[in-house]
């Protein structure tokens, strides 16, 4: 006998390396449409859950003449007769952001009563308003300015008291969304301010609406039995 050899089972083949996963594309943002309505709901995001902000105008101001009477916080105080006036009369931006994500069904904009005429605020209810929403986490004006926004269709021409007459420019407008919108903030960009007397723009209130809660169930009624 020259050799006596014992054989073992061959080891299983090495597994093929798994192909690398292709990065998944970011989901497309929802396309949201707004419709002008008479009212939205009875439930709002409360003032304490909202912060207001305004972008710097081309003169470096966020409100007119750096006068705190026209501060952007006025659009979140529950009183349409206190108001923000933009820092200038170019394309201006006013916005709100929330302390947590909110599921919105619409929004409202209000302006002071036309009998209030200080600093010609009754002439500053004007322009084309284009609304946007964001999903970014926001905790400061810097965050709000640098967030990624998506346009809400379509821009709304409010009017201009100079050309349309005071009685033809509304002091409050409301819009509902075609589907509920999950958002961390909203902003409005206002354009078309360079016509006639180029008044900077104003706003009294920026309101975010939530779905109304379902009604409370009716209490069950019990049939009374026979008296004994």
């Amino acid at each position: 006998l020259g050799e006596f050899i014992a054989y073992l089972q061959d080891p299983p083949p090495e597994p093929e390396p798994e192909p690398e996963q292709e990065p998944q594309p970011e989901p497309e943002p929802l396309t949201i449409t707004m419709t002008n309505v008479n009212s939205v709901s009875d439930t709002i995001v409360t003032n304490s859950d909202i912060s207001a902000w305004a972008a710097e105008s081309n003169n470096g101001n966020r409100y007119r003449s750096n006068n705190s009477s026209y501060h952007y916080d006025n659009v979140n105080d529950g009183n349409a007769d206190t108001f923000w006036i933009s820092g200038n009369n170019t394309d201006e931006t006013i916005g709100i952001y929330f302390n947590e994500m909110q599921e919105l069904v619409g929004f409202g904009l209000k302006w002071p009563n036309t009998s209030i005429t200080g600093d010609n605020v009754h002439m500053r209810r004007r322009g084309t308003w284009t609304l946007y929403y964001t999903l970014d986490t926001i905790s400061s004006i810097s965050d709000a300015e640098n967030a990624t926004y998506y346009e809400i269709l379509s821009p709304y021409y409010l009017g201009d008291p100079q050309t349309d007459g005071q009685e033809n420019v509304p002091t409050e407008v409301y819009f509902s969304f075609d589907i509920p919108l999950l958002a961390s903030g909203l902003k409005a960009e206002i354009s078309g301010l360079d016509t006639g007397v180029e008044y900077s723009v104003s706003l009294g209130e920026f309101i975010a609406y939530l779905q109304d809660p379902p009604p409370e169930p009716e209490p069950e009624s019990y049939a009374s039995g026979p008296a004994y």
Side-chain angles (χ1 to χ4, degrees):
L1 177 64
E3 288 288 317
F4 195 149
I5 305 168
Y7 288 92
L8 303 174
Q9 180 71 44
D10 288 335
E14 290 288 324
E16 292 288 326
E18 291 190 11
E20 288 190 14
Q21 292 290 325
E22 291 289 326
Q24 294 298 312
E26 289 289 322
E28 288 292 317
L30 291 174
T31 298
I32 302 294
T33 300
M34 65 189 202
T35 302
N36 193 197
V37 293
N38 291 327
S39 63
V40 182
S41 76
D42 294 325
T43 309
I44 64 171
V45 182
T46 58
N47 303 87
S48 59
D49 292 332
I50 293 176
S51 297
W53 66 282
E56 280 191 8
S57 299
N58 62 3
N59 59 7
N61 296 337
R62 296 183 189 271
Y63 42 90
R64 182 169 169 77
S65 304
N66 278 334
N67 182 338
S68 61
S69 297
Y70 307 137
H71 200 284
Y72 47 78
D73 282 343
N74 289 340
V75 306
N76 184 42
D77 66 358
N79 182 1
D81 290 339
T82 61
F83 45 87
W84 165 76
I85 298 179
S86 62
N88 209 347
N89 54 11
T90 51
D91 292 351
E92 305 294 335
T93 300
I94 182 74
I96 53 176
Y97 59 89
F98 314 120
N99 63 358
E100 62 182 8
M101 200 74 76
Q102 301 285 349
E103 188 171 62
L104 308 176
V105 295
F107 69 94
L109 305 171
K110 291 184 177 183
W111 288 267
N113 188 289
T114 55
S115 64
I116 298 173
T117 58
D119 209 345
N120 289 312
V121 68
H122 63 305
M123 304 299 290
R124 300 180 185 278
R125 192 174 73 258
R126 59 195 302 254
T128 296
W129 292 64
T130 304
L131 272 291
Y132 299 82
Y133 74 93
T134 184
L135 303 170
D136 292 2
T137 300
I138 299 175
S139 58
S140 66
I141 287 182
S142 175
D143 290 344
E145 286 187 307
N146 293 298
T148 299
Y149 287 89
Y150 307 101
E151 184 176 346
I152 300 171
L153 303 176
S154 297
Y156 177 75
Y157 175 65
L158 178 65
D160 192 326
Q162 295 180 74
T163 54
D164 302 314
Q166 282 289 346
E167 68 282 2
N168 296 318
V169 182
T171 55
E172 51 188 74
V173 291
Y174 302 94
F175 297 89
S176 64
F177 299 139
D178 58 331
I179 56 174
L181 170 62
L182 199 64
S184 58
L186 300 172
K187 74 173 181 178
E189 293 184 351
I190 310 107
S191 57
L193 304 177
D194 56 350
T195 59
V197 178
E198 298 180 7
Y199 291 110
S200 48
V201 70
S202 70
L203 181 64
E205 286 292 297
F206 198 147
I207 306 164
Y209 287 94
L210 304 170
Q211 185 73 50
D212 287 329
E216 291 289 324
E218 291 289 326
E220 292 186 18
S221 58
Y222 297 93
S224 57
Y228 293 97

